């Protein structure tokens, strides 16, 4: 084929204007389909460009690999799914043709034209409905063999595993009224609402406004295009209307929460009132080979002509159950198509004028007749003729046949409301036997419908219905008039009651997506699946890309007849979001992933710290650079690297001085005359008599008597406490405090100041010497003793534009068991504090240490970490915290439960244990979570687990804490631990702390 | 100009914000701007480039964390505000501008936050009592039942400016922040980009501006989220000079 000549003809052969509403004829586009060059016109879809090049074979069907081409040309069916180089399952009739696209057919073994799996079409009787549920599982285990073969055949399209992520995001939109669908009803509704002052969002799935006005002809309106121009002119000029085209409202959620997909963004639309003017789906006629390329909906042929200026065939047959078929025949004739016949399933046309117009053109009209079978030239070829027969009774035809030559069959069996979004909103479908169509009822009060989705079909009535719906919505918004709502009715009958003509040889498709024939639906009911929901699950009807748009109505009819029920009783299957296939990128795009950084965060990174998450915070675990290692943030250090870093940092803190960022610690400020009373009611200790300038350990228990948080309470004034909390627990503690103070109404102000303070722990024998260079406070053991707290200034040498003093709160704490000072400063000064300490500490060889090192240091001191060494059952008695429970006060949070659980016989206890150091090299060091056993026998019971365990350079052994059975908890007792690989090691219970039991070092 | 969400190292390797002890949590993000001094000697980004003004009109993002702000809570707070000649908004979630361009935010019946004037760079607020909430002595400087808060340190202060503020916020926040639903002086205490924030609708020299006060430790995160969100509107980071001249 001469490509250039073909290209030219595909463009030149278009119908003259006004056909081709979507086209910009001054520009062409060129892309590749199945290795062939396809040229189209700007505005073409991939599909229309293919048809302009006489390419009617687009894809292969799911089960039988039958040749498939366009059906609706509106993006509403699965026949049009094609493969792009980087994307599967692209709707050819919705996606714009663009230069450079590489397009191919889907579900093909070999090439689209010569599909090696096309033979499956002849094996349909071996693949009856639900065959895959009843095959492949016997004998036992055979599924494993079948699965790989079935998986190789199943699925549509190929995912590009090398694809690069694209930028998708989300945004909210807020409007008084959202109108979904910009056909005549939607346009009228939007204008009516906007004229009354409402802020309106008009959502249209197509690239242009107008809906059916863009392609349909109407018996009651001669010039739909001028009407469309008039309406959209007003809409586009209206200040109160925002228009979104090529936008799909993909679901309806409670309170009119509407996800609207447009481009690469999901709009999360909030509408006070919503008007669905979503139109209706034209329905097909069920006859043998109704899926051949060239057999299309009447509306598809109209779209082809009016949107894309493509003459859809040379010789056409129109099979219809309503007058729209006549309008299609007339338009086909006007565009030069030889209409061989109008095959009308009815006994007579509704409009005598339309009948007269058609017959006057010499087009034969065959009443009470149907297409019984379409005939094609061979696999992949287009329809060549139809077998037309008289209808004897519903679904049955006469034996005599009339073959009519044609390359185009237009079907118009009626319409199905676009019900999916409305049923998601709780709407119910009921079937009108007289009109043979479904209608919707029981919609939420904030949701309205208008136009053909509301079973209104004549154009004037459709527009009046749009206006009515707008009035209804305006009234709900308090923006309407007092006038009664106009009555809108439509008596036009659009649906033929039984457009289903089963053929003994089958291939009379009800559901094109799933290759389901009429007998498949009936057989499902005969197998006992009488409910339409069960029919769906057994047969998969409605589960394909079309989601029942064309199969729901014939399925309801077939099931109702087979089960001797009404169509209303039978109903349709549940419609669930999303309406159309939704790319995961819409959901995954632009996710928010908050993080929190301490004021010193970048200093840690500059020092090469290995960072670890702590909630949304990032904290330095340890600093490999301290021992000369350089470890990339994204790489995982070896266990040995980690242990070496931690040991080095721990030795340094014990021998010199170290500093750790503890800014993530929670901080709560309590101020007011009742601050002490409040503290006393919340925490377990007594706080009424806590001296000013002193700290006190604060334990918080829950209503179940479980230890849920701990911290240090500093009293700076009679009416001022500053209490710390755990990094991840502070929000809950603050919430609990404010909850109780709402009840108690004490005169105290409570503020969560976690982010307001940056803090460090300066620890080690030389910490006093470092701090002395930066403050005028008396840091002597007498002037600032262990467990004291002070307010003061950190003096920072240097030239700064604001100040040289940093206000600070200091407390002497012993968490790591050395002389140490926690220094809390307003967060804006945090980085400067770090710099000052590192600078002042240089003379004392100060080094930073991380959270992992701190965990080892506190373990050596036997200090628990709430949530690491505690669980949801840990009461103070199990943790050895009896000393922190005041027995002299009537109440604290959780007191009653604490009293109860402490009086019960204790079954376990948290103890310290040691193990020989050589177990580290043998790979037998216990890890957190390893289980503790009652004994070493094969029948031993689990009595506890390890909560903390490390090798301690200060002690020279492995040390740890574990829950053990109460009988195992006495110092000197031994208990087995099951470590990695199932081996047992015997640990010895020891008194805590492991290090410096005289507390001499922290109190120096 | 567009700016990536990565931090920008100044040519000389020295961040200007480090000339002060007091630093914004996201000062590295504004490193390429020219700095200016606020009341108290803290540093603020003054100007990024000659296109600042244009960006500010579309969708500018401004780090005002270095500018003075204060907060007070308790029944005694109106007395303090009255003594200072500051307006008291009629109800919670309203803000009112003072004569010098300071803003008073009423966050609850008894909680008020004050944002320093962009024009005088916080000079008026600097005269208020009890600004150093870290010092427990601040309680002696304020009326009874008036507790100074820590918002200078607990919260970062970012500002979004220009004609697209509500479009940008629609990408971050589920609350309707269009001007018709969120008029001048409105406050929303809500979630944006999955963190808590206080959003205030202001007007600075005729320019629509939304101040956003967020958890101080999350300021750097929110800066990157905002910079990302303004890209489609040709927005970006701007300095204080672009909104106050």
């Amino acid at each position: 084929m001469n490509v250039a000549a073909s290209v030219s003809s595909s463009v030149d052969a278009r119908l003259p204007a006004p056909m081709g509403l979507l086209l910009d004829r001054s520009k062409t586009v060129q892309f590749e389909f199945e290795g062939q060059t396809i040229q189209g016109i700007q505005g073409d879809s991939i599909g229309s460009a293919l048809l302009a090049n006489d390419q009617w074979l687009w894809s292969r069907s799911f089960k039988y690999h039958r040749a498939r081409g366009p059906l609706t040309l509106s993006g509403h069916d699965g026949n049009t799914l094609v493969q792009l180089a980087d994307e599967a399952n692209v709707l050819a009739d919705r996606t714009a043709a663009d230069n450079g696209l590489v397009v191919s057919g889907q579900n093909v073994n070999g090439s689209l034209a010569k599909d090696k799996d096309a033979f499956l079409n002849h094996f349909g009787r071996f693949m009856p409905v639900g065959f895959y549920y009843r095959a492949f599982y016997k004998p036992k285990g055979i599924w494993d063999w079948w699965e790989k073969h079935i998986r190789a055949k199943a699925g549509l399209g190929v995912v590009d595993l090398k694809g690069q992520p694209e930028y998708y995001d989300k945004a909210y939109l807020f409007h008084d009224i959202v109108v979904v669908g910009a056909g005549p009803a939607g346009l009228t509704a939007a204008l009516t609402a906007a004229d009354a002052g409402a802020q309106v969002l008009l959502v249209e799935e197509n690239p242009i406004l107008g809906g059916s006005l863009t392609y349909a002809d109407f018996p009651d309106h001669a010039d739909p295009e001028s009407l469309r121009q008039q309406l959209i002119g007003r809409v586009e000029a209206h200040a109160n209307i925002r228009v979104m085209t090529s936008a799909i409202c993909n679901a309806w959620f409670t309170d009119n929460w509407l996800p609207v997909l447009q481009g690469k963004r999901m709009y999360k639309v909030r509408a006070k009132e919503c008007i669905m003017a979503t139109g209706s789906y034209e329905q097909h006629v069920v006859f043998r080979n109704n899926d051949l390329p060239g057999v299309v909906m009447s509306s598809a042929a109209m779209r082809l002509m009016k949107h894309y200026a493509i003459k859809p065939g040379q010789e056409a047959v129109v099979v219809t159950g309503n007058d729209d078929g006549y309008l299609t025949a007339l338009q086909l004739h006007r565009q030069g198509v030889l209409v061989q016949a109008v095959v009308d399933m009815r006994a007579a046309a509704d409009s005598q004028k339309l009948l007269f117009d058609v017959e006057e053109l010499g087009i034969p009209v065959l009443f009470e007749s149907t297409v019984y079978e379409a005939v094609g030239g061979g696999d992949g070829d287009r329809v060549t003729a139809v077998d037309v027969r008289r209808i004897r009774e519903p679904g049955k035809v006469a034996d005599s046949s009339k073959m009519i030559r044609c390359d185009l069959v237009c079907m118009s069996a009626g319409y199905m409301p676009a019900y999916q979004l409305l049923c998601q909103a709780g709407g119910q479908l009921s079937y009108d036997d007289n009109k043979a169509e479904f209608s919707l009822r029981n919609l939420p009060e904030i949701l309205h419908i208008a136009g053909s989705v509301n079973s209104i079909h004549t154009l004037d009535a459709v527009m009046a219905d749009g206006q009515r719906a707008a009035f209804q919505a305006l009234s709900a918004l308090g923006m309407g008039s007092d006038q009664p709502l106009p009555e809108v009715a439509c008596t036009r009958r659009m649906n033929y009651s039984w457009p289903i003509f089963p053929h003994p040889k089958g291939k009379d498709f009800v559901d094109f997506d799933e290759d389901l024939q009429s007998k498949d639906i009936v057989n499902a009911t005969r197998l006992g699946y009488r409910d339409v929901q069960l029919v769906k699950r057994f047969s998969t009807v409605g589960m394909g890309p079309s989601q029942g748009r064309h199969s729901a109505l014939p399925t309801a009819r077939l099931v109702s007849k087979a089960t001797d029920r009404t169509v209303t009783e039978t109903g349709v299957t549940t419609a669930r979001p999303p309406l159309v296939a939704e790319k995961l990128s819409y959901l995954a795009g632009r996710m928010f992933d908050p993080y929190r950084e301490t004021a010193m965060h970048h200093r840690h990174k500059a020092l090469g710290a290995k960072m670890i998450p702590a909630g949304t915070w990032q904290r330095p675990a340890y600093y490999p650079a301290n021992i000369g290692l350089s470890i990339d943030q994204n790489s995982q250090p070896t266990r040995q690297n980690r242990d070496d870093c931690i040991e080095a940092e721990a030795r340094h803190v014990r021998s010199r001085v170290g500093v750790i960022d503890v800014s993530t610690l929670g901080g709560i400020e309590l101020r007011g005359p009742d601050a002490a009373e409040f503290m006393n009611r919340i925490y377990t200790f007594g706080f009424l008599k806590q001296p000013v300038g002193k700290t006190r350990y604060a334990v918080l228990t829950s209503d179940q008597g479980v230890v849920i948080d701990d911290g240090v309470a500093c009293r700076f004034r009679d009416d001022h406490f500053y209490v710390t909390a755990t990094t991840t627990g502070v929000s809950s503690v603050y919430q609990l405090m404010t909850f109780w103070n709402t009840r108690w109404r004490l005169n105290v102000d409570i503020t969560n100041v976690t982010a307001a303070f940056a803090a460090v722990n300066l620890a080690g024998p030389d910490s006093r010497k470092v701090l002395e260079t930066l403050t005028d406070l008396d840091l002597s053991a007498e002037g600032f003793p262990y467990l004291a707290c002070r307010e003061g200034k950190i003096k920072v040498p240097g030239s700064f534009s604001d100040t040289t003093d940093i206000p600070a709160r200091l407390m002497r704490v012993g968490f790591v068991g050395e002389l140490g000072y926690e220094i809390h400063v307003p967060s804006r000064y945090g980085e400067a504090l770090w710099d000052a300490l590192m600078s002042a500490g240089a003379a004392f060889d100060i080094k930073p240490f991380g959270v992992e090192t701190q965990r080892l240091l506190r373990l050596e001191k036997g200090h628990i970490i709430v949530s690491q060494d505690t669980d949801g059952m840990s009461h103070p008695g199990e943790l050895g915290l009896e000393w922190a429970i005041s027995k002299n006060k009537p109440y604290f949070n959780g007191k009653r439960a604490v009293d109860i659980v402490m009086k019960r016989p204790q079954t376990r206890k948290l103890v310290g244990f040691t193990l020989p150091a050589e177990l580290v090299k043998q790979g037998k060091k216990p890890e957190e979570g390893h289980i503790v056993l009652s004994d070493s026998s094969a029948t031993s019971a689990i009595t506890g687990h390890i909560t903390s365990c490390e090798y301690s350079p200060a002690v020279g052994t492995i040390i740890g804490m574990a829950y053990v059975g109460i009988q195992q908890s006495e110092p000197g007792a031994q208990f087995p631990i099951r470590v990695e690989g199932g081996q047992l090691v015997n640990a010895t219970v020891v008194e805590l702390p492991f290090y410096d039991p005289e507390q001499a070092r922290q109190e120096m | 100009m567009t700016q990536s969400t990565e931090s920008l190292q100044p040519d000389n390797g020295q961040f200007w914000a480090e000339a002060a002890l007091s630093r914004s949590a996201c000062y590295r993000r504004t490193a390429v701007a020219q700095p200016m001094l606020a009341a108290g000697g803290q540093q603020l980004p003054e100007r990024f480039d000659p296109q600042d003004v244009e960006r500010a009109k579309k969708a500018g993002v401004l780090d005002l964390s270095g500018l003075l702000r204060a907060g007070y809570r308790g029944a005694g707070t109106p007395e303090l505000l009255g003594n200072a000649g500051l307006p008291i908004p009629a109800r919670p979630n309203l803000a009112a501008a003072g004569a010098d361009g300071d803003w008073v935010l009423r966050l609850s019946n008894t909680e008020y936050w004050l944002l320093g004037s962009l024009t005088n760079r916080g000079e008026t607020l600097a005269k208020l009592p009890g600004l150093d909430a870290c010092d427990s002595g601040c309680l002696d400087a304020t009326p009874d039942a008036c507790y100074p808060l820590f918002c200078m340190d607990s919260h970062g202060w970012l500002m979004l400016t220009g004609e697209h503020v509500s479009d940008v916020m629609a990408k971050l926040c589920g609350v309707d922040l269009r001007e018709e639903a969120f008029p001048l002086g409105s406050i929303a205490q809500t979630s944006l980009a999955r963190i808590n924030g206080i959003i205030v609708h202001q007007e600075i020299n005729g320019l629509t501006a939304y101040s956003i006060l967020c958890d101080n430790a999350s300021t750097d995160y929110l800066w990157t989220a905002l910079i990302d969100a303004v890209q489609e509107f040709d927005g970006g980071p701007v300095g204080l000079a672009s909104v106050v001249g």
Side-chain angles (χ1 to χ4, degrees), chain A residues 905-979:
Chain A
Q906 203 164 321
T907 58
R908 64 172 192 168
K909 189 168 178 63
L910 187 71
V911 299
F913 67 86
T914 59
L915 282 163
E918 52 266 30
L919 290 182
V920 176
K921 287 186 179 170
Q922 294 169 12
K924 294 181 182 175
K925 183 179 88 64
E927 302 294 341
E928 291 159 19
H930 280 168
I931 57 173
V932 171
L933 300 172
S934 58
D935 55 58
S936 303
S937 71
T939 57
S940 62
I942 297 171
T943 54
H945 65 273
I946 307 300
T947 63
S948 300
C949 187
E950 288 292 348
Y951 169 72
S952 166
V955 182
T957 65
I958 294 171
I959 62 171
M961 286 198 275
Y963 284 100
V964 298
I966 198 69
Q967 69 282 2
Q968 299 171 305
S969 61
E970 288 300 316
Q974 293 210 320
F975 61 88
I977 305 167
R978 181 174 288 161
V979 298

Side-chain angles (χ1 to χ4, degrees), chain A residues 846-904:
Chain A
I846 192 171
K847 288 191 188 305
F849 64 101
V851 181
E852 294 269 38
T853 305
Q854 181 182 242
R855 284 181 182 158
L856 168 62
L857 294 168
R858 67 85 207 180
L859 179 60
E860 289 174 341
K861 288 299 295 176
H863 293 146
I864 63 164
I865 294 177
V866 172
S867 80
Q868 176 170 330
D869 299 303
T870 67
D871 57 27
M873 307 279 285
S874 307
H875 62 69
E878 289 184 343
L879 303 172
L881 291 177
E882 298 90 340
W883 60 272
I885 311 294
S886 170
K887 296 181 177 55
N888 301 320
K889 60 182 188 181
Y891 177 84
F892 59 81
N893 192 67
K895 181 178 190 323
R896 179 168 166 72
V898 168
D899 288 346
I900 291 170
V901 296
M902 297 270 279
K903 282 178 183 164
R904 285 182 185 156

Side-chain angles (χ1 to χ4, degrees), chain A residues 122-159:
Chain A
H122 304 295
F123 288 84
R125 65 196 176 98
F126 298 111
M127 293 184 277
V129 61
F131 76 99
Y132 32 81
Y133 294 134
R134 292 179 287 159
F136 312 127
Y137 71 96
K138 284 183 179 176
K140 188 178 180 183
I142 195 69
W143 170 249
D144 294 337
W145 185 85
W146 277 110
E147 184 180 8
K148 54 183 177 290
H149 297 289
I150 292 173
R151 289 205 182 281
K153 292 294 175 197
L156 297 171
V158 179
V159 173

Side-chain angles (χ1 to χ4, degrees), chain A residues 68 71 283-287 290-291 297 499-502 507-522 539 541-542 546 548-558:
Chain A
R68 291 282 165 79
L71 177 66
Q283 301 293 294
H284 64 287
V285 181
V286 178
F287 57 82
N290 58 353
D291 62 335
M297 302 291 187
I500 304 169
F501 302 96
K507 302 297 187 288
D508 42 11
F509 290 102
V510 171
D511 187 327
F512 298 99
D513 298 349
E514 304 284 335
D515 276 344
L516 288 168
Q517 309 155 82
S518 61
K519 65 182 178 188
D520 293 326
I521 305 300
V522 175
S539 68
V541 65
S546 306
R549 291 184 187 91
H550 309 104
S551 60
L553 182 54
T555 299
R557 285 168 170 161
L558 285 166

Side-chain angles (χ1 to χ4, degrees), chain A residues 186-208:
Chain A
L187 291 169
T188 309
L191 284 167
T192 305
D195 285 345
Q199 293 293 313
V200 177
L201 175 67
L202 181 59
V203 178
E204 169 56 45
E205 66 175 339
N206 291 297
I208 57 170

Side-chain angles (χ1 to χ4, degrees), chain B residues 20-233:
Chain B
L21 288 180
S22 164
R23 298 164 197 171
S24 160
C26 64
Y27 73 78
R28 286 169 178 78
R29 304 291 181 184
T30 57
V32 296
Q34 295 297 312
M36 68 195 300
L37 283 179
Q42 296 144 72
Q43 305 272 327
L44 291 168
E46 181 182 29
R47 182 177 291 105
F48 281 83
D49 61 33
Q51 283 73 52
D52 265 26
V53 173
E54 280 308 304
R55 281 198 302 277
K57 287 177 183 169
K58 293 173 184 167
V61 184
L62 186 54
D63 177 21
L64 294 172
S65 299
L67 190 56
L68 200 58
R69 55 201 173 281
Y72 301 92
R73 185 163 57 207
T77 305
E79 180 187 338
L80 180 145
L81 297 176
N83 292 342
L86 289 165
I88 298 176
R91 59 172 173 78
N93 287 329
L94 281 184
D100 295 337
D102 311 287
W103 282 75
V104 181
L105 284 50
R106 187 167 183 180
L107 301 185
S108 73
N109 274 333
T110 60
E111 182 167 344
Y112 299 82
W113 285 21
L114 294 90
L115 303 181
S117 164
L118 273 61
T119 310
N120 68 23
R121 303 179 200 177
E123 273 181 19
T124 313
L125 291 196
K127 298 167 190 158
L128 288 172
L131 286 179
D132 185 2
C134 176
D135 177 4
S136 60
C138 70
L139 296 175
D140 296 327
T142 56
D144 285 347
C146 176
Y147 300 97
L149 298 174
F150 298 78
C151 45
M152 187 74 197
D153 293 287
S154 63
H155 285 70
W157 180 7
L158 303 180
M159 180 178 273
L160 192 58
T161 67
E163 59 185 298
H164 291 294
V165 282
S166 59
D167 299 322
V168 175
M169 292 307 294
K171 295 168 70 175
L172 305 172
C173 179
V175 175
D176 187 356
L177 297 175
R178 292 173 301 146
E179 296 218 34
E180 52 267 43
F182 189 64
L184 183 66
S186 298
I187 295 173
Q189 301 181 59
T190 183
S191 170
L192 71 160
R194 290 189 58 218
I195 62 170
N196 291 337
I198 300 166
I199 305 163
V200 192
H201 183 171
Q202 297 165 283
E203 193 175 277
I204 312 292
N205 290 338
L207 190 67
T208 300
Y210 285 9
S211 276
I212 305 170
L213 298 148
C214 67
D215 163 43
N216 188 56
S218 304
T219 309
D220 189 77
Y221 159 72
L222 187 60
W223 173 271
T224 62
L226 286 170
I227 291 295
D228 180 61
V230 298
Q231 300 293 316
E232 76 171 281
F233 306 107

